[in-house]
Amino acid sequence: MNRTTVLIGVVAIAVIALGVAAYLVFAGGGSQNSATTAGPMAIILSKDDRTLGSKTAPLTVLEYAAPTCPHCAHFDMDIFPQFKKDYIDTGKVFFIFRVFPLNPADVAAEAMARCLPEDNYFQFLDLLYRNQPKWDPEYQVPDVHAGLVYMGKIAGMSAQKVDSCISDQAMQKRIQDVGADAQTRYGIDSTPSFVANGQVHGPFVDYQEFKTFIDSMLAKK
């Protein structure tokens, strides 16, 4: 099911370094440089976007997702691999991914992903999705910070590096700005949400349903 968005206010994260609290407190959009569709629902490509495929593909698909969202994990694991093979790798779709934060852990997870080399971005998100029970507050994890540190360790990040990344207030603001823009521009209020050819669609049950949607969008190009 969809979940109501909770966009996170700017929060100072010096708590970790100071050791003031037992729990971690988690607290922008880049310059827009090219329009991939026209009209009020235009998808504006930012220099900070993480993308896959060719920019010259006939269809652009923008996904808004949250690392803590179980439905996003379902899409990542059960639908996206075949979608990538059939549409992105074949030059039919240019794919743009943006995090739409639902809670502070999403801000922290995205900040960590942004600290890694760009080529490792999607790999790290996949790691997070496949291991949600180990760090995601959705699963009643008792120590989210420790879980994220563990995920960072798997990706080659030290605990100090993890804390440095999630404490970056400029990055926190950028992540929140992306979420705010998604609400304003497309009316996004849940994840995963997909924007394509001027339409917004919510979660898909399976690959066939998603494929039907993509094929209908391609047919209009």
Side-chain angles (χ1 to χ4, degrees):
M1 70 183 69
N2 292 339
R3 296 188 296 167
T4 303
T5 304
V6 181
L7 286 176
I8 311 306
V10 178
V11 181
I13 318 271
V15 176
I16 296 175
L18 296 175
V20 175
Y23 295 96
L24 176 64
V25 180
F26 302 98
S31 63
Q32 298 171 338
N33 49 33
S34 64
T36 56
T37 59
M41 294 289 285
I43 298 174
I44 309 298
L45 184 63
S46 162
K47 66 179 180 61
D48 294 321
D49 280 332
R50 294 294 183 257
T51 67
L52 292 170
S54 172
K55 293 180 181 179
T56 61
L59 180 66
T60 294
V61 175
L62 166 61
E63 178 188 2
Y64 283 100
T68 62
C69 164
H71 302 294
C72 302
H74 164 64
F75 180 82
D76 171 79
M77 293 185 289
D78 300 331
I79 298 177
F80 184 80
Q82 193 65 44
F83 166 59
K84 182 177 183 296
K85 178 181 178 181
D86 291 348
Y87 293 94
I88 299 175
D89 294 345
T90 57
K92 297 177 182 178
V93 167
F94 178 53
F95 178 73
I96 304 172
F97 179 88
R98 295 173 185 168
V99 164
F100 184 75
L102 300 174
N103 59 61
D106 288 319
V107 178
E110 168 71 344
M112 289 172 62
R114 292 283 173 165
C115 273
L116 292 167
E118 187 170 342
D119 289 346
N120 293 350
Y121 180 83
F122 286 107
Q123 181 181 3
F124 183 67
L125 281 179
D126 183 66
L127 175 71
L128 292 176
Y129 282 136
R130 293 177 183 277
N131 291 277
Q132 283 180 337
K134 297 178 180 178
W135 69 273
D136 186 348
E138 181 86 4
Y139 290 87
Q140 307 302 313
V141 174
D143 190 340
V144 174
H145 175 241
L148 285 171
V149 169
Y150 178 66
M151 291 295 102
K153 181 179 180 180
I154 295 175
M157 302 172 71
S158 68
Q160 292 76 18
K161 180 64 173 177
V162 170
D163 286 347
S164 173
C165 295
I166 63 180
S167 300
D168 184 339
Q169 294 188 33
M171 179 56 68
Q172 294 164 22
K173 183 179 185 303
R174 191 205 69 78
I175 295 166
Q176 295 168 73
D177 286 348
V178 169
D181 181 73
Q183 286 187 311
T184 301
R185 189 181 302 273
Y186 305 114
I188 303 297
D189 63 3
S190 61
T191 57
S193 289
F194 302 85
V195 183
N197 203 28
Q199 294 189 30
V200 178
H201 199 293
F204 295 89
V205 174
D206 53 27
Y207 179 68
Q208 186 56 50
E209 183 184 10
F210 185 59
K211 183 178 186 299
T212 299
F213 172 73
I214 295 300
D215 287 344
S216 69
M217 295 297 100
L218 279 168
K220 298 176 181 178
K221 303 304 288 184

